[in-house]
Amino acid sequence: MTAVTTVAGLDALAPTDRSAEGRERARSDRSGWSPDGLPDAVVRPDSVDQVQQVVRWAAAHRVPLVPRGAGTGLTGGAAAAPGQVVLDLSGLDAIESLDPGARTAVVQPGVILADLDRAAAAHGLRYVPDPGSVAIASIGGTIATNAGGLRCARHGGTREAVAGLDVVLADGSLLRTGTSGARSVTGYDLTSLFVGSEGTLGVVVRATVRLQPLPVATATVTALFPDVATAAHAVATVLAAGPVPPTLELLDHATLAAVDPALADRGGAFLLVQTEGAPALAEATALAGLLRGTALEVDVTDDPVRAERLLATRRDALPAVQRHGRVLIEDVSVPPAALAEAITGIEAIADRTGVRVFTFAHAGAGVIHPLVLTDDGEITPRVRETVDAIVALALRLGGTLTGEHGIGALKRHWLPDELDPVARTTLHRIKAALDPAGVLNPGKAI
Amino acid sequence: MTAVTTVAGLDALAPTDRSAEGRERARSDRSGWSPDGLPDAVVRPDSVDQVQQVVRWAAAHRVPLVPRGAGTGLTGGAAAAPGQVVLDLSGLDAIESLDPGARTAVVQPGVILADLDRAAAAHGLRYVPDPGSVAIASIGGTIATNAGGLRCARHGGTREAVAGLDVVLADGSLLRTGTSGARSVTGYDLTSLFVGSEGTLGVVVRATVRLQPLPVATATVTALFPDVATAAHAVATVLAAGPVPPTLELLDHATLAAVDPALADRGGAFLLVQTEGAPALAEATALAGLLRGTALEVDVTDDPVRAERLLATRRDALPAVQRHGRVLIEDVSVPPAALAEAITGIEAIADRTGVRVFTFAHAGAGVIHPLVLTDDGEITPRVRETVDAIVALALRLGGTLTGEHGIGALKRHWLPDELDPVARTTLHRIKAALDPAGVLNPGKAI
Ligand SMILES: Cc1cc2nc3c(=O)[nH]c(=O)nc-3n(C[C@H](O)[C@H](O)[C@H](O)COP(=O)(O)OP(=O)(O)OC[C@H]3O[C@@H](n4cnc5c(N)ncnc54)[C@H](O)[C@@H]3O)c2cc1C
Ligand SMILES: Cc1cc2nc3c(=O)[nH]c(=O)nc-3n(C[C@H](O)[C@H](O)[C@H](O)COP(=O)(O)OP(=O)(O)OC[C@H]3O[C@@H](n4cnc5c(N)ncnc54)[C@H](O)[C@@H]3O)c2cc1C
């Protein structure tokens, strides 16, 4: 058990858990990775005021704080080490208000995305960002990672859905950014600066988010292809044909076998396309026509129940693969037009290294998740070679090492491959300007 | 004539104009405002390298630089004073590449928006941001102000159209932000930080911008209302009926009289709605039906030539009003659902103060431009009272003092009304982190 000397005085400020079990539960995230040892304590404030007091306390005592939402992150962003205190925001979980006329909601950070979406649906609205983890991830965590998801290619990700934030800064002061829904260019775009900052610049304690009308209709096309290269080229055809469809998901054969073995017996890759609005069915039918050229099977439905079932299958991809063994979850992204080259390139890398890779993609956004099977958790040289080659390929294609999961702790070693010294220095200057003592989530993101 | 002692050494680095005429041309923008006296010089680099050298020179000699695009700004952002040097980016005006497959273009800052849009149109694409000044404004200036325009409510403004930037920082180093079109969450969102920073954090020397497919069809509804209150309520009806239309513009009677006196004789306010895509005409017809309840006249067209003529009329609103006298160009913004309350409130303010106000709005985005007539350029107490009351009203409705034109020099005195000390301190910390010597556009934006 780790020493808990650093937490003196904390208990008086907010509910604090120093039990081994509590600290064990808060030491990692869904990447499965955590540093050796346990964090010193888990503090779970009940109010914004308590958050401010905790941050002030941490600043005064130079105790590193690790903000934590629902712990569903995939890069160790919320992982905490000895000497650190976890700042658990899950207790701040109220939808404070929802204004159907303004199409906005004011929410606390611990609200689970699906709960907000359900509350919005009661008014014919939806919260657009829908990562695969929509049923378990928190608003605060998704803001801190600028989460994407299945709808973000057309409708934008978390950044586009956030109108304004309340953020507790590293000195404990409370910053309000943005507006309650108005377009604004007053000052620098602080909202966008905090979105995606992974808890390193401030603690999100409240957000005003935009809601969108539910589409009047949706239609869904599914298509089975002989192999992933053909499916990826079909994506290119769809993208060239017009505006990007709201949802365009691709699963390779390995992933398909994990989520739906029967389907995997009949084909080598799967595509799921969703269209929206009054012409949804007509658009879907037209897209199905495009896909029929190369697909083995194509199906179109405008039945929302069946569509939801198909989406659920897709959302299950990550946990389904994880049941096959421990994987490194990569998250590269390329310009959508380069998707086919990236997908076939990843296949070639796996063939070369002989490491098993499960690949699926938010294809419309160019975000690709190659899940690289480890040797029972061990990262062998071949596994390392595989992931390094995948990242290098994405960068060569004009892409990035993280399309939506963030850098966290696990992707930092690749930062110099993507960002030159000027860019890295600029990030550190901003960090130093807002958190000079380095209290907030040190060692993450940048 | 001002002393030009500060410019020693500059001429060797890039083409430098020290003539009185050259400096006179570069001292102001379309706000008509400028400080007393002329800037010391106008330097017009031919290359990114020259920009870097000029910035290094300025940093070494502590000479304030004022970046300048096309000078069409409306807040004095590009206005320059004695002791300052204008850094004119209009010479960097190449479209370096345009990739129709990737739907991106790499452009230099001096490219005029309409030229990029035309180049895109040759490939069935468009550049979405379309401020009224689309024919005269530069990419760099619109990035520096995060310009909005007629299409931004549905499709986003400049920020959403920019994938990555090359920025010369205050120490002369060259920063690359973002990607060449991939979704990325690597590091903080530096692209969004520089978009809208009004030349105070860095000089934009290159941008990768996203292009969108041209809509397969558009349709346009125009409607004439008895008065602006009725028109504003009709906007609320349109907004409540579904997703925000791509274009939704409102003109009050005074503005209408300036742009089209014949039309103004028949009604008191004008609405222009544009829909896009395959169902454009059906959607427009449905919206027309909604408007018929309260409008005097409603017209629907899917003729693109007629639509372009109507849009041109709307784009002419500002210059048409300016022909009536010198105005203060306000740019408040409110949550779109509060538009009717804002518009009627502005009317009431003008009635009370007896000052003439011409109001038009990008209604779908909640951005309102009340043009407040001065006393032949003089800002009398009544004029001051009018603009102050308009800003206060917008803030009370959850809005902002600038929806798209920026703070520049002219709106800085209102900053404390919108941003509390924590927010202002945060802006200044970021400025100090990136431009510690205060070389870039001092006295603007924050
Ligand atoms: C099955 C599955 C599917 C997924 N699918 C997707 C997907 O499609 N798209 C996608 O983008 N992601 C996806 N993810 C990743 C994950 O859900 C997201 O990263 C999510 O944003 C994490 O939210 P969280 O509340 O769990 O945050 P946590 O994991 O608790 O924290 C994530 C990061 O945010 C910081 N943080 C948390 N709360 C705050 C706060 N209030 N203020 C400041 N910083 C804070 C933490 O310090 C950490 O750096 C998936 C994860 C799983 C398990
Ligand atoms: C008739 C008319 C209609 C308009 N309609 C709209 C509208 O609908 N929506 C809207 O948003 N605006 C509108 N505007 C305002 C104006 O066109 C925009 O603000 C535009 O973005 C200014 O571009 P510019 O190239 O002229 O920039 P400038 O006026 O030259 O500069 C504007 C600001 O950007 C900075 N800057 C310029 N270039 C760079 C660079 N390369 N790097 C860093 N900083 C730079 C300057 O220092 C200054 O602070 C309108 C203006 C007019 C005259």
Side-chain angles (χ1 to χ4, degrees):
Chain A
M1 209 168 127
T2 4
V4 291
T5 45
T6 56
V7 298
L10 181 58
D11 317 54
L13 305 177
T16 302
D17 184 351
R18 278 166 290 144
S19 71
E21 310 77 63
R23 294 182 291 141
E24 177 67 40
R25 272 195 304 272
R27 74 188 288 204
S28 185
D29 64 6
R30 296 281 176 118
S31 71
W33 177 85
S34 55
D36 290 334
L38 296 180
D40 288 10
V42 182
V43 58
R44 192 164 177 272
D46 288 329
S47 66
V48 172
D49 183 61
Q50 285 187 4
V51 176
Q52 291 185 269
Q53 291 192 43
V54 168
V55 175
R56 274 195 210 108
W57 170 90
H61 297 84
R62 302 276 158 132
V63 177
L65 287 178
V66 180
R68 182 178 184 86
T72 73
L74 299 173
T75 63
Q84 304 187 324
V85 167
V86 175
L87 175 55
D88 176 351
L89 282 313
S90 63
L92 298 175
D93 64 350
I95 298 177
E96 295 186 350
S97 63
L98 194 159
D99 183 339
R103 292 179 184 162
T104 55
V106 177
V107 292
Q108 293 185 339
V111 171
I112 299 301
L113 294 194
D115 291 337
L116 172 60
D117 201 42
R118 218 174 347 257
H123 301 279
L125 300 169
R126 64 178 176 181
Y127 180 63
V128 163
D130 66 336
S133 52
V134 62
I136 49 176
S138 79
I139 295 280
T142 50
I143 288 172
T145 59
N146 189 13
L150 280 64
R151 293 194 280 238
C152 83
R154 167 78 72 91
H155 295 295
T158 301
R159 193 188 70 183
E160 288 74 25
V162 175
L165 294 174
D166 284 7
V167 180
V168 174
L169 297 176
D171 62 2
S173 59
L174 185 66
L175 169 71
R176 307 221 137 146
T177 76
T179 69
S180 57
R183 184 178 209 275
S184 173
V185 295
T186 303
Y188 307 141
D189 185 354
L190 296 179
T191 307
S192 294
L193 184 62
F194 286 97
V195 173
S197 65
E198 302 192 39
T200 64
L201 297 181
V203 182
V204 174
V205 291
R206 187 177 282 116
T208 301
V209 297
R210 302 177 206 279
L211 307 172
Q212 303 288 345
L214 279 165
V216 291
T218 60
T220 308
V221 188
T222 51
L224 197 62
F225 292 87
D227 51 54
V228 73
T230 314
H233 285 289
V235 167
T237 309
V238 169
L239 291 178
V244 59
T247 297
L248 180 53
E249 297 288 318
L250 178 139
L251 278 66
D252 79 348
H253 189 249
T255 310
L256 196 57
V259 296
D260 190 335
L263 205 56
D265 281 347
R266 302 209 306 269
F270 189 71
L271 212 59
L272 188 158
V273 194
Q274 202 159 73
T275 56
E276 287 177 2
L281 188 58
E283 281 180 29
T285 307
L287 290 175
L290 284 179
L291 300 179
R292 274 205 184 90
T294 55
L296 303 171
E297 301 173 16
V298 179
D299 181 65
V300 180
T301 178
D302 63 353
D303 173 354
V305 178
R306 253 184 78 199
E308 197 30 62
R309 214 155 45 220
L310 291 165
L311 283 175
T313 306
R314 158 59 192 85
R315 282 198 204 99
D316 189 44
L318 174 59
V321 168
Q322 284 178 317
R323 287 190 283 272
H324 285 249
R326 289 194 60 180
V327 289
L328 293 182
I329 303 159
E330 298 313 322
D331 170 43
V332 295
S333 166
V334 297
L339 191 88
E341 201 175 341
I343 294 276
T344 52
I346 291 167
E347 215 183 13
I349 291 166
D351 283 350
R352 195 184 70 221
T353 61
V355 169
R356 206 153 155 216
V357 178
F358 305 74
T359 298
F360 55 95
H362 306 304
V367 175
I368 309 172
H369 297 309
L371 309 185
V372 180
L373 197 64
T374 63
D375 206 347
D376 210 13
E378 204 206 322
I379 299 169
T380 62
R382 285 191 314 150
V383 170
R384 172 63 52 209
E385 184 192 338
T386 307
V387 291
D388 282 345
I390 290 172
V391 168
L393 171 68
L395 295 178
R396 192 170 54 72
L397 294 174
T400 168
L401 68 94
T402 173
E404 54 175 21
H405 294 163
I407 297 291
L410 295 178
K411 297 185 197 300
R412 277 179 81 209
H413 60 285
W414 283 309
L415 274 177
D417 297 335
E418 179 164 345
L419 303 179
D420 69 14
V422 175
R424 295 198 316 274
T425 303
T426 304
L427 297 180
H428 285 283
R429 278 194 192 144
I430 291 170
K431 168 75 174 173
L434 297 186
D435 180 15
V439 167
L440 296 175
N441 218 5
K444 309 286 174 58
I446 63 169
Chain B
M1 207 169 125
T2 4
V4 291
T5 46
T6 56
V7 298
L10 181 58
D11 316 53
L13 305 176
T16 303
D17 184 350
R18 277 166 290 145
S19 72
E21 311 77 64
R23 294 183 290 139
E24 176 67 39
R25 271 194 304 272
R27 73 187 290 204
S28 184
D29 64 7
R30 296 282 175 116
S31 71
W33 178 85
S34 56
D36 289 336
L38 296 180
D40 288 9
V42 181
V43 57
R44 192 164 177 272
D46 287 330
S47 68
V48 172
D49 183 61
Q50 285 186 4
V51 175
Q52 291 185 268
Q53 290 191 44
V54 168
V55 174
R56 274 195 210 107
W57 170 90
H61 297 84
R62 302 277 158 132
V63 178
L65 287 178
V66 180
R68 182 179 183 86
T72 73
L74 299 174
T75 63
Q84 304 187 322
V85 167
V86 176
L87 175 55
D88 177 350
L89 282 313
S90 64
L92 298 175
D93 64 350
I95 298 177
E96 295 186 350
S97 63
L98 193 158
D99 183 340
R103 292 180 183 160
T104 54
V106 177
V107 291
Q108 292 185 341
V111 171
I112 299 300
L113 296 194
D115 291 336
L116 171 60
D117 200 42
R118 219 176 344 260
H123 302 278
L125 300 169
R126 64 178 176 181
Y127 181 63
V128 163
D130 67 335
S133 51
V134 61
I136 49 176
S138 79
I139 295 279
T142 51
I143 288 173
T145 58
N146 188 12
L150 280 64
R151 293 194 280 238
C152 82
R154 166 78 72 92
H155 295 294
T158 301
R159 193 189 70 183
E160 288 74 25
V162 176
L165 294 174
D166 284 7
V167 181
V168 174
L169 298 177
D171 62 3
S173 60
L174 185 66
L175 170 71
R176 307 219 136 146
T177 77
T179 70
S180 57
R183 183 177 209 273
S184 174
V185 295
T186 302
Y188 307 142
D189 185 354
L190 296 178
T191 307
S192 294
L193 185 62
F194 287 97
V195 173
S197 64
E198 302 191 38
T200 64
L201 298 181
V203 183
V204 175
V205 292
R206 187 178 282 117
T208 303
V209 297
R210 303 177 204 278
L211 306 172
Q212 303 289 344
L214 280 165
V216 290
T218 59
T220 308
V221 188
T222 50
L224 198 62
F225 292 87
D227 51 54
V228 74
T230 313
H233 285 290
V235 167
T237 308
V238 169
L239 291 178
V244 60
T247 297
L248 179 53
E249 298 287 319
L250 179 141
L251 278 66
D252 79 348
H253 190 249
T255 310
L256 197 58
V259 296
D260 189 336
L263 205 56
D265 281 347
R266 304 208 305 270
F270 189 70
L271 212 60
L272 188 158
V273 195
Q274 203 159 72
T275 56
E276 288 177 3
L281 188 58
E283 281 179 30
T285 308
L287 289 175
L290 283 180
L291 300 179
R292 273 205 184 90
T294 54
L296 302 171
E297 300 174 17
V298 179
D299 182 64
V300 180
T301 178
D302 63 354
D303 174 354
V305 177
R306 254 184 76 198
E308 198 31 60
R309 211 155 46 218
L310 290 164
L311 283 174
T313 307
R314 157 59 192 85
R315 283 199 203 96
D316 189 44
L318 175 59
V321 169
Q322 284 178 317
R323 286 190 283 272
H324 285 249
R326 289 195 59 181
V327 289
L328 292 182
I329 303 158
E330 299 313 323
D331 170 42
V332 294
S333 164
V334 296
L339 190 89
E341 199 175 342
I343 295 276
T344 51
I346 291 167
E347 215 184 13
I349 290 166
D351 283 349
R352 195 185 70 222
T353 60
V355 169
R356 201 149 161 224
V357 178
F358 304 74
T359 299
F360 56 94
H362 306 304
V367 175
I368 309 171
H369 297 309
L371 310 185
V372 180
L373 197 65
T374 62
D375 206 347
D376 210 14
E378 204 207 322
I379 300 169
T380 61
R382 286 190 314 149
V383 169
R384 172 63 51 208
E385 183 192 340
T386 306
V387 291
D388 282 345
I390 289 172
V391 168
L393 170 69
L395 294 178
R396 193 169 54 70
L397 293 174
T400 169
L401 69 93
T402 172
E404 56 176 19
H405 293 164
I407 297 291
L410 295 179
K411 298 186 197 300
R412 276 180 80 210
H413 61 285
W414 283 309
L415 275 177
D417 298 335
E418 179 165 345
L419 302 178
D420 68 15
V422 175
R424 296 200 313 275
T425 303
T426 305
L427 298 179
H428 285 282
R429 280 193 191 145
I430 292 169
K431 169 74 175 173
L434 297 185
D435 181 16
V439 166
L440 296 175
N441 218 3
K444 309 284 174 61
I446 62 169

